[in-house]
Amino acid sequence: MASGGGNNRNGTHRNSLKGTTTTSTVSTDKPLSVNSNPSKPAFKNKSSPLTGASSGLRKSSPGSLGGGAAKDDAGVPGRVRVAVRLRPRNAEESVADADFADCVELQPELKRLKLRKNNWDTDTYEFDEVLTEFASQKRVYEVVAKPVVEGVLDGYNGTIMAYGQTGTGKTYTLGRLGEEDTANRGIMVRAMEDILAEVSPEIDSVLVSYLQLYMESLQDLLDPTNDNISIVEEPKSGDVSLPGATLVEIRDQQSFLELLRLGEAHRHAANTKLNTESSRSHALLMVHVKRTVKGREPAHSSDNGNSTSMARSLRPPLVRKGKLVVVDLAGSERIDKSGSDGHTREEAKSINLSLSALGKCINALAENSAHVPVRDSKLTRLLRDSFGGTARTSLVITVGPSPRHRGETASTIMFGQRAMKVENMLKLKEEFDYKSLARRLDIQLDKLIMEHERKQKAFEVEIERMTAEAQNRISEAERNYADAVEKERLKYQKDYMESIKKLEEKWMMNQQNQGNERKEQMVHIAEEVAEVKKLLSKETSLRKAAEEEVDNLKSQLAQLKMSEASANSEILKLRKMVEDEVCQKEKLEGEISMLQSQLLHLSFEADEVCYLCNLQVWHVGLQKILSLLEAEDADVRIHAVKVVANLAAEETNQQKIVEAGGLKSLLMLLGSSDDETIHRVAAGAIANLAMNEKNQELIMSQGGISLLSTTASHAKDPQTLRMVAGAIANLCGNDKLQTKLRGEGGIKALLEIVKCGHPDVLAQVARGIANFAKCESRASTQGSKTGRSLLIEDGALPWIVQNANSDASPIRRHNELALCHLAQHEVNAKDMISEGALWELVRISQDCPREDIRTLAHRTLASSPDFIAGLKRLRINY
């Protein structure tokens, strides 16, 4: 499944196929926006004269494959959107099909594709988007995948799938990593970039699984040992789940790229004739996105502030779950073309059987069949939700230009046409996250218990500290009191004894010495005794104060004991509150389990609505169309010239157009109009008419070269220049018109056009120069022309030499032919040697991939004396 533009593998996609609208979540099912024109059925017809002008084609924006508005609580219809992408020719096709036109022609502005059945008959198809070979990876992502990714972020399932023949670019479109050039990143990498930019790592989650369906065996690309994953279908909802698949949480883009590289290394691939790295399995990348909806307020409120706070804390968060499935289908192939044998043949059979089963399911859904054979293949079981289910689905079909594979291309186109008729019923996946609420309540309860334990521990420590401090203070007071009392007692006892002793001594002295002074001594003794009594009284009061302090300390101790008892009662109350919290938690868990059991019995059904629109094509006469070319309304002229251009693309219509005056009208329109769109389309029509020799003479006789040269000098659009250069290139192939074409400035007009630099424009210029040189060579051989080439005289030789080795194969091939034809005439040899053409002729004779050009260059070098002398002078061994 390697693409024509580069080989890289990464596939992703899954969902269910039968039309079910059941959601696996509760809460609200909200409608998703769909296109204002939800069903635009494709049509197939032969080329019609006015299909581009008035057929009532869809006018929706080219930047979206799905979007719009509808209102239905049970779901909204969303048709499968289909885009077609054309791969450019690869190197092998450029050589093998060089003389054949592409079997596919794109009209992106009309969203049409033309498939050539033969040189005169084509089939026309319409798609939601038509992507040319020049469409960038960013353009493809924005058109095909971005609306689906946005829907997944809003809570809807989405599917992006690539279908087509092997080697047409499916894996390049989906799984390109863009390691060498970031512009080449595929849909998977760009989708994950948008998802990671929108989700919040703290509250949202992104989980990824990467699987492959190989030989009807579902295998895990992230765990190769897990090679037989079972598919489980919910009996009520019909949803498909893969319980054995590895789920990896993605936090950043780098880890996602590493996951893709790991999965790609385990994917089955083989070398076939059609593709050197052909995928032998269907790859599915499943991205599960879970986002929390912010800013949602409940419908009710409470006047009580505490009740409001509690209600908010008990309200579960609202989450939306979307699943993105990207499917890189293995390419369909024919055994006789791919050259598969042995085990590779068995792989091809398995791939074709699963794709055939998918096609049968698409046919049944498109025809509203009562039975859809979903169980015929594991692939269709995995894609139940993608076709006829609840997912928004975008399908990109990839085709190649080679006419050798016209049958496979037609089969791919018809698959896309049938898929466009399939209607899905989009469903919003939204639910309340009761598990998150329970976890939050558990955390809050644990915090409360821990806080309570901390407070209780601190309270107990404080009680112990206060008790110890009180006991220490009481003990210290008792010791101090006992010491003070003992000291006072000893002091007073000592003073008392000393006083008694002094009194006795004085009394004895008084008795002995002064008997007559007894009265005075008695008075003095009485005063002494009074003083002693006063001291005793003071001692008694101090003792009472100490006893009161002891009583006060004992009362404080009693109060502390009462505080301890009060604290113990408070602890008992807190324990009771904790037990109440536990009971409340158990009650909430019971309510949650009851709600979850109710969730399992809820389902929703929706009717599938198919809208078929019949397009009517009005046929108008050719004369009426040609008259519209002269209309005053610019839009009418544009539509009319487009119709004439489409008719001129068919060889059978060209003669009728010329006879009806269409060629003259186109040339007049080219000269009179200033609209570049008209210039582009008119020049394309003239280029188609100029493929006929008789028409070439008419164009020249009516001044066509001058008009085309003037148009080229004013044109800015590369497509306009490509059409003008193509018309002049066709005229350059007429032997009879050589001199007149050069005289009217045809060659100089081509040399002015090359300033554009666009590869498609340069290819047409190179083709015209090659045609002119071929006619000159033929005329010189027949003897009807002498002298130097008109191309050399008009200064075309330096440009031919400069681009003879261009990276673009069409430019290189035409310039190589031009050099070989110019070298046929001996008179041109000196000019060619002086301009460096001799080196290019030597390279062409050795390295050109086309054998006929190599032979022509070799014969020319060997037969020209001037060239042989130049080779010797430059010391080139040949």
Side-chain angles (χ1 to χ4, degrees):
M1 275 187 16
S3 68
N7 292 333
N8 194 319
R9 312 232 154 299
N10 264 36
T12 50
H13 180 111
R14 158 172 132 350
N15 255 324
S16 354
L17 230 161
K18 185 61 184 165
T20 173
T21 58
T22 338
T23 63
S24 60
T25 58
V26 121
S27 247
T28 337
D29 285 335
K30 296 189 177 178
L32 175 69
S33 295
V34 293
N35 205 321
S36 58
N37 185 11
S39 59
K40 181 177 98 47
F43 73 90
K44 169 184 172 183
N45 68 344
K46 304 290 181 184
S47 299
S48 175
L50 275 181
T51 17
S54 59
S55 58
L57 301 179
R58 182 170 63 85
K59 302 291 184 181
S60 60
S61 169
S64 172
L65 275 179
K71 297 185 177 179
D72 185 359
D73 289 341
V76 293
R79 178 175 58 78
V80 174
R81 319 297 290 177
V82 181
V84 59
R85 186 180 193 186
L86 176 64
R87 169 181 61 73
R89 286 194 177 192
N90 55 33
E92 188 269 335
E93 291 172 345
S94 298
V95 175
D97 302 332
D99 297 328
F100 299 95
D102 292 348
C103 69
V104 173
E105 179 185 350
L106 302 184
Q107 296 178 326
E109 67 276 2
L110 300 177
K111 293 183 172 49
R112 288 183 184 169
L113 177 148
K114 285 188 176 183
L115 178 65
R116 298 182 184 275
K117 298 173 67 175
N118 45 48
N119 290 335
W120 56 87
D121 193 10
T122 62
D123 288 336
T124 303
Y125 303 90
E126 282 196 0
F127 291 94
D128 294 296
E129 284 296 337
V130 174
L131 303 169
T132 68
E133 64 269 33
F134 305 110
S136 66
Q137 291 283 75
K138 180 180 180 181
R139 164 70 175 164
V140 174
Y141 171 74
E142 290 178 347
V143 166
V144 176
K146 191 166 186 177
V148 179
V149 174
E150 291 173 348
V152 171
L153 289 170
D154 289 336
Y156 293 84
N157 288 345
T159 299
I160 305 166
M161 186 168 69
Y163 179 93
Q165 184 190 9
T166 182
T168 54
K170 297 183 294 301
T171 302
Y172 177 81
T173 300
L174 296 179
R176 188 78 169 180
L177 297 182
E179 294 174 318
E180 299 84 3
D181 185 358
T182 56
N184 288 334
R185 290 168 297 156
I187 286 176
M188 287 191 294
V189 177
R190 294 177 185 269
M192 184 55 68
E193 288 176 353
D194 284 356
I195 290 173
L196 291 177
E198 293 295 329
V199 300
S200 173
E202 293 79 12
I203 59 175
D204 302 334
S205 66
V206 179
L207 301 176
V208 171
S209 295
Y210 197 11
L211 313 168
Q212 71 173 352
L213 182 61
Y214 175 69
M215 300 284 286
E216 283 301 299
S217 174
L218 190 57
Q219 302 174 359
D220 197 333
L221 288 174
L222 305 181
D223 182 9
T225 59
N226 189 8
D227 58 358
N228 191 15
I229 300 174
S230 59
I231 303 174
V232 178
E233 299 179 13
E234 294 294 335
K236 294 183 179 180
S237 65
D239 290 342
V240 175
S241 61
L242 306 173
T246 301
L247 278 175
V248 178
E249 185 172 5
I250 299 299
R251 291 288 183 177
D252 53 60
Q253 187 70 9
Q254 186 60 37
S255 61
F256 178 66
L257 292 176
E258 293 175 359
L259 180 144
L260 290 183
R261 293 190 193 97
L262 175 63
E264 204 55 34
H266 296 145
R267 192 171 175 192
H268 290 276
N271 185 2
T272 67
K273 291 182 179 179
L274 296 178
N275 193 347
T276 59
E277 196 175 345
S278 175
S279 297
R280 316 308 291 170
S281 65
H282 308 296
L284 302 94
L285 180 71
M286 300 181 180
V287 182
H288 302 266
V289 180
K290 180 179 178 182
R291 298 184 71 199
T292 301
V293 181
K294 299 179 181 178
R296 278 287 190 90
E297 292 295 333
H300 61 278
S301 61
S302 173
D303 295 335
N304 190 312
N306 294 333
S307 301
T308 302
S309 177
M310 182 176 293
R312 287 179 179 176
S313 64
L314 295 178
R315 177 164 49 88
L318 188 64
V319 298
R320 288 177 177 172
K321 297 180 178 179
K323 179 171 64 177
L324 173 65
V325 182
V326 187
V327 181
D328 182 7
L329 294 174
S332 59
E333 63 182 54
R334 292 185 178 178
I335 304 299
D336 55 345
K337 289 187 177 182
S338 65
S340 301
D341 57 1
H343 185 66
T344 308
R345 178 188 290 267
E346 296 302 319
E347 290 175 336
K349 289 180 180 178
S350 176
I351 292 170
N352 290 338
L353 284 174
S354 60
L355 293 177
S356 175
L358 178 61
K360 291 178 181 178
C361 290
I362 297 295
N363 291 343
L365 289 169
E367 297 171 1
N368 290 326
S369 174
H371 172 67
V372 180
V374 177
R375 298 187 175 275
D376 287 358
S377 170
K378 286 187 177 181
L379 177 62
T380 54
R381 291 176 64 193
L382 289 169
L383 299 180
R384 283 191 63 175
D385 200 39
S386 304
F387 294 96
T390 63
R392 169 185 281 184
T393 300
S394 283
L395 171 66
V396 55
I397 61 172
T398 57
V399 297
S402 175
R404 291 178 296 154
H405 305 304
R406 184 182 290 107
E408 290 83 348
T409 301
S411 175
T412 301
I413 292 171
M414 293 311 300
F415 180 88
Q417 292 285 288
R418 290 190 291 269
M420 290 178 68
K421 299 179 182 179
V422 178
E423 287 278 352
N424 292 350
M425 193 61 63
L426 310 183
K427 295 288 292 184
L428 177 64
K429 305 298 187 299
E430 196 175 67
E431 66 179 8
F432 289 113
D433 193 352
Y434 290 101
K435 291 183 179 179
S436 176
L437 174 62
R439 286 195 300 271
R440 189 167 71 238
L441 292 176
D442 285 338
I443 293 172
Q444 291 179 356
L445 181 58
D446 291 339
K447 288 181 178 179
L448 288 174
I449 293 174
M450 291 171 63
E451 184 66 23
H452 169 69
E453 289 179 350
R454 283 195 297 270
K455 289 182 178 180
Q456 181 179 2
K457 184 66 176 177
F459 183 75
E460 291 175 353
V461 170
E462 183 66 20
I463 292 296
E464 292 177 357
R465 187 190 64 78
M466 293 176 65
T467 302
E469 184 179 355
Q471 289 176 352
N472 292 335
R473 291 175 63 185
I474 292 171
S475 300
E476 185 178 359
E478 289 177 348
R479 286 194 302 270
N480 292 338
Y481 173 74
D483 292 342
V485 170
E486 184 65 20
K487 288 179 180 179
E488 289 292 329
R489 187 183 67 78
L490 293 174
K491 178 182 178 183
Y492 289 132
Q493 185 178 2
K494 183 178 179 182
D495 292 341
Y496 177 75
M497 293 302 294
E498 289 178 353
S499 298
I500 294 297
K501 188 176 180 180
K502 288 178 179 180
L503 287 174
E504 287 178 350
E505 289 177 351
K506 287 181 179 181
W507 183 76
M508 291 297 293
M509 288 174 65
N510 288 332
Q511 287 293 327
Q512 293 175 3
N513 299 319
Q514 298 178 357
N516 55 359
E517 295 180 358
R518 287 184 179 178
K519 291 182 180 180
E520 294 179 4
Q521 291 178 353
M522 291 299 292
V523 172
H524 183 70
I525 291 170
E527 291 177 355
E528 292 285 341
V529 171
E531 186 177 355
V532 170
K533 287 181 178 180
K534 187 177 180 181
L535 290 172
L536 288 173
S537 175
K538 183 179 180 181
E539 180 184 354
T540 303
S541 63
L542 289 173
R543 183 180 179 90
K544 287 181 179 180
E547 289 177 351
E548 288 177 358
E549 186 176 358
V550 170
D551 292 338
N552 188 22
L553 290 173
K554 288 181 178 179
S555 65
Q556 289 183 5
L557 179 61
Q559 288 179 359
L560 288 174
K561 290 182 178 179
M562 290 176 65
S563 298
E564 182 180 2
S566 175
N568 290 333
S569 65
E570 185 68 23
I571 291 171
L572 292 175
K573 289 181 181 179
L574 289 174
R575 286 179 178 172
K576 186 176 180 181
M577 288 176 63
V578 171
E579 292 176 356
D580 292 341
E581 290 288 343
V582 172
C583 292
Q584 186 178 2
K585 175 187 174 183
E586 293 177 352
K587 184 178 179 181
L588 286 174
E589 289 177 348
E591 292 179 357
I592 290 171
S593 63
M594 181 179 67
L595 288 173
Q596 288 176 342
S597 64
Q598 292 176 359
L599 287 176
L600 297 175
H601 295 85
L602 295 177
S603 61
F604 300 92
E605 297 182 354
D607 297 330
E608 297 181 353
V609 180
C610 294
Y611 297 93
L612 300 175
C613 297
N614 296 321
L615 298 176
Q616 298 180 349
V617 179
W618 298 87
H619 297 278
V620 182
L622 181 59
Q623 291 293 341
K624 178 62 177 178
I625 296 171
L626 295 177
S627 67
L628 293 178
L629 294 176
E630 302 176 1
E632 295 182 359
D633 191 336
D635 291 336
V636 174
R637 291 200 305 273
I638 290 173
H639 285 298
V641 76
K642 285 183 178 180
V643 173
V644 174
N646 288 334
L647 291 172
E650 303 294 336
E651 187 177 353
T652 55
N653 300 328
Q654 294 177 357
Q655 188 61 31
K656 297 177 182 178
I657 293 173
V658 174
E659 292 174 355
L663 177 59
K664 182 177 180 181
S665 298
L666 288 171
L667 290 171
M668 290 177 60
L669 191 62
L670 201 63
S672 61
S673 175
D674 294 331
D675 190 285
E676 186 150 355
T677 301
I678 292 178
H679 287 173
R680 181 177 69 253
V681 181
I686 293 171
N688 289 333
L689 295 174
M691 290 188 291
N692 181 281
E693 184 175 351
K694 183 177 180 181
N695 295 341
Q696 292 173 354
E697 297 176 357
L698 288 174
I699 292 171
M700 292 296 296
S701 65
Q702 296 180 18
I705 282 293
S706 300
L707 291 172
L708 290 171
S709 301
T710 304
T711 302
S713 65
H714 293 93
K716 297 181 180 178
D717 185 6
Q719 295 300 322
T720 303
L721 293 172
R722 183 171 71 90
M723 296 298 181
V724 173
I728 298 176
N730 290 339
L731 295 173
C732 287
N734 192 318
D735 295 335
K736 303 175 183 178
L737 305 176
Q738 295 274 293
T739 304
K740 186 174 182 180
L741 187 145
R742 186 252 184 160
E744 294 184 7
I747 297 175
K748 291 185 178 179
L750 287 177
L751 294 177
E752 285 294 322
I753 291 174
V754 301
K755 295 179 181 179
C756 168
H758 194 282
D760 289 346
V761 177
L762 298 183
Q764 293 298 326
V765 172
R767 183 170 69 87
I769 290 175
N771 288 342
F772 197 95
K774 184 177 181 180
C775 292
E776 277 194 331
S777 175
R778 190 161 46 237
S780 298
T781 303
Q782 295 171 356
S784 59
K785 181 186 182 307
T786 59
R788 287 197 311 163
S789 168
L790 299 179
L791 289 171
I792 296 176
E793 291 182 357
D794 281 357
L797 183 58
W799 185 85
I800 299 173
V801 174
Q802 181 181 357
N803 291 272
N805 197 16
S806 172
D807 292 336
S809 59
I811 301 174
R812 182 175 65 251
R813 183 175 69 254
H814 290 311
N815 282 324
E816 288 174 347
L817 279 172
L819 285 176
C820 291
H821 287 309
L822 289 173
Q824 294 293 306
H825 197 34
E826 186 69 23
V827 73
N828 298 328
K830 292 182 180 179
D831 291 306
M832 295 182 70
I833 293 172
S834 64
E835 291 294 339
L838 181 58
W839 292 97
E840 290 300 325
L841 287 171
V842 173
R843 180 191 61 78
I844 294 169
S845 68
Q846 296 174 350
D847 300 333
C848 181
R850 287 186 51 169
E851 185 177 357
D852 55 339
I853 299 178
R854 287 201 312 272
T855 303
L856 182 59
H858 179 76
R859 187 170 64 246
T860 301
L861 290 172
S863 60
S864 171
D866 288 336
F867 285 144
I868 293 173
L871 291 172
K872 291 180 180 179
R873 185 172 62 256
L874 296 174
R875 298 180 181 180
I876 299 175
N877 295 326
Y878 187 75

